[in-house]
Amino acid sequence: MNAAFPAEALGRAVAATRGLVDGLFNTLREATPGHPGITRPPYGEGEEFAHRLLADRARELGLEVRQDAALNTYVTLPGRDRAARALMTGSHLDSVPQGGNFDGAAGVVAGLAALVAIREAVGVPPQDLTVMAIRAEESVWFQVSYIGSRSAFGILPEGVLDSAKRIDSGRSLAEHMAELGADVDALRRGQRYLDPARIGGFVELHIEQAPSLLEAGVPLGIATAVPGNFRYPDITISGEQAHVGLPRRFRHDAALAGADFATALDRIWADHEGRGIAMAATIGRFHTDAAIHGMTSVPGRFLMSLDVRAYDAAVLAALEKSVLALVPGIEAARGVRFDLGARASAPVGPAAPAIQAALGRHADAGGIAWQKLGSPASHDAATFAALEVPMGMIFVRNRNGSHNPDEAMEVDDLMHGIAVLAAWMADAP
């Protein structure tokens, strides 16, 4: 830490942003209800409101505001050398259906508060400091990861603008973007707004999504990595619809084939856990076909989704091989056919050691307890890491997990996170 760094003044300036922080959260909660919780669909009314709220408040505070072709919002405190590599923070403003008010939004609110505090305590920083409010992070809606951050770098997957449909509307990503004024043609060309070479570092603040910090009794975590994943959002198992009295040897039961797959997947996970290899596997959808299922029918069609994640690229690749190798045996044993559907993936995002160390030093200097933490969830920070931008994450203690109406982050804990974030942005070389 720079010996001349105004730590005490910055701490007081961060504390003075408490009213700004509370006011933004209250407005977001009241304006984007989900009955219960909150709902801010990507490229929909709730997310758009949140972006307008951020932009309006930032302009009132005298900060620069811009948007890119995908309508990500950027709030900047200009630096003395505007050609220098910028330091960035931020997170997303969309939510899952009936989610909580803090997942994603906490990182954007924290970033805005950090800029206000830095301007008050430090004045003009050496380089630009930018908060990025990111679109469409929650992949549940379009079943594609990191839409906003990938758009900013011009690396959206081929064809996804037209192939990805929002689950509630059935309309394409391109249609939803265009409706709000996004430059879809620029996105089709792969035009980028962000240049990785122009970014000195990116730190994303986020609520924790497993109760690790709650269990440890500390307010903050400093990330070691964001997991990569592979996903098959629309797996279909086809068997043969039949009478409930059909003997087992004649059946082609798609539901039991799905159950075989699920239990075999769980055995793979248990084996990895027993060997100390961190991973997670989730079957989010798991059901018979409602159009034809019934109590007295053998299911001939079964639908499911798959998300598998790990912190090491080699582990992730080996996991996919093992998981896919389950399919032929189940097909043969049950007389069914698997159609895996489209595949999606995201790379592992390792946190930069220098940023981890700097965040830890600033937490220690402020007397804030913390621990190292691997993220259990995917985050836009991984997009930055994949493009070799130095990346870090700060996690804030949160009861009751996330992606539900009962997220219970304490704003006092968030203020500790803002203090560490602001110190990193103000003191980074």
Side-chain angles (χ1 to χ4, degrees):
M1 188 183 298
N2 185 336
F5 181 69
E8 291 186 10
L10 185 59
R12 290 192 297 272
V14 167
T17 66
R18 179 65 182 257
L20 170 66
V21 169
D22 286 334
L24 287 169
F25 281 136
N26 289 340
T27 301
L28 285 170
R29 181 181 293 106
E30 292 165 4
T32 57
H35 307 298
I38 58 94
T39 299
R40 296 191 277 266
Y43 295 104
E45 183 179 355
E47 184 193 58
E48 179 66 7
F49 173 85
H51 278 259
R52 288 199 310 269
L53 175 66
L54 171 70
D56 291 346
R57 195 72 183 92
R59 290 190 184 99
E60 291 170 6
L61 292 165
L63 298 165
E64 287 187 358
V65 178
R66 295 178 181 173
Q67 284 192 318
D68 63 17
L71 304 180
N72 296 302
T73 303
Y74 303 85
V75 174
T76 298
L77 175 62
R80 290 190 295 274
D81 182 0
R82 304 217 64 182
R85 295 194 303 165
L87 298 178
M88 295 185 65
T89 187
S91 193
H92 60 98
L93 285 173
D94 60 326
S95 79
V96 299
Q98 296 182 352
N101 199 37
F102 302 122
D103 185 326
V108 178
V109 171
L112 182 62
L115 295 195
V116 171
I118 291 167
R119 185 176 60 184
E120 174 65 24
V122 178
V124 180
Q127 68 277 87
D128 284 3
L129 305 179
T130 295
V131 180
M132 181 181 180
I134 304 171
R135 296 273 181 170
E137 189 267 356
E138 296 292 3
S139 55
V140 64
W141 293 96
F142 288 103
Q143 302 191 46
V144 177
S145 298
Y146 309 145
I147 289 171
S149 54
R150 285 176 168 177
S151 294
F153 287 107
I155 57 169
L156 272 177
E158 184 75 24
V160 75
L161 286 164
D162 299 306
S163 64
K165 313 291 185 183
R166 210 172 79 182
I167 58 169
D168 59 336
S169 69
R171 297 167 59 218
S172 72
L173 175 58
E175 289 176 290
H176 278 282
M177 285 180 155
E179 187 173 68
L180 294 179
D183 189 343
V184 177
D185 289 338
L187 297 173
R188 291 191 196 282
R189 296 193 301 270
Q191 178 178 305
R192 70 181 185 185
Y193 183 85
L194 293 179
D195 179 355
R198 305 293 305 149
I199 304 170
F202 177 86
V203 170
E204 181 171 0
L205 181 147
H206 204 281
I207 60 171
E208 69 166 332
Q209 294 172 290
S212 302
L213 300 176
L214 189 70
E215 179 182 66
V218 297
L220 298 184
I222 294 174
T224 55
V226 174
N229 64 59
F230 63 87
R231 291 170 167 170
Y232 292 89
D234 293 300
I235 299 173
T236 301
I237 305 173
S238 298
E240 187 175 286
Q241 201 80 9
H243 188 276
V244 68
L246 194 69
R248 186 177 187 277
R249 67 184 181 278
F250 297 122
R251 294 190 181 205
H252 303 279
D253 191 321
L256 287 180
D260 290 345
F261 183 87
T263 54
L265 176 68
D266 192 50
R267 285 194 295 270
I268 290 173
W269 189 0
D271 171 69
H272 280 68
E273 191 172 71
R275 292 185 285 136
I277 302 172
M279 62 157 288
T282 303
I283 298 177
R285 293 192 302 111
F286 193 73
H287 55 92
T288 51
D289 187 341
I292 57 174
H293 68 190
M295 188 179 71
T296 57
S297 292
V298 175
R301 181 174 160 86
F302 197 79
L303 309 170
M304 57 191 288
S305 65
L306 176 67
D307 177 303
V308 178
R309 53 190 58 197
Y311 293 96
D312 179 273
V315 169
L316 195 63
L319 272 169
E320 187 162 15
K321 274 188 166 181
S322 297
V323 170
L324 296 184
L326 300 173
V327 171
I330 297 172
E331 287 181 325
R334 294 288 182 184
V336 300
R337 180 173 50 82
F338 277 67
D339 179 356
L340 296 175
R343 176 188 183 276
S345 65
V348 174
I355 291 182
Q356 291 184 58
L359 295 173
R361 285 196 303 273
H362 288 298
D364 290 340
I368 301 167
W370 62 279
Q371 68 174 38
K372 287 189 176 182
L373 193 64
S375 171
S378 301
H379 300 282
D380 285 298
T383 301
F384 288 78
L387 295 168
E388 300 185 351
V389 174
M391 176 276 283
M393 289 195 71
I394 299 168
F395 291 105
V396 179
R397 177 169 51 192
N398 168 56
R399 297 192 311 280
N400 305 328
S402 68
H403 289 189
N404 67 70
D406 299 320
E407 291 173 3
M409 179 197 74
E410 300 292 339
V411 176
D412 286 347
D413 288 342
L414 176 64
M415 299 308 294
H416 288 311
I418 295 171
V420 173
L421 175 65
W424 172 76
M425 297 189 84
D427 193 47

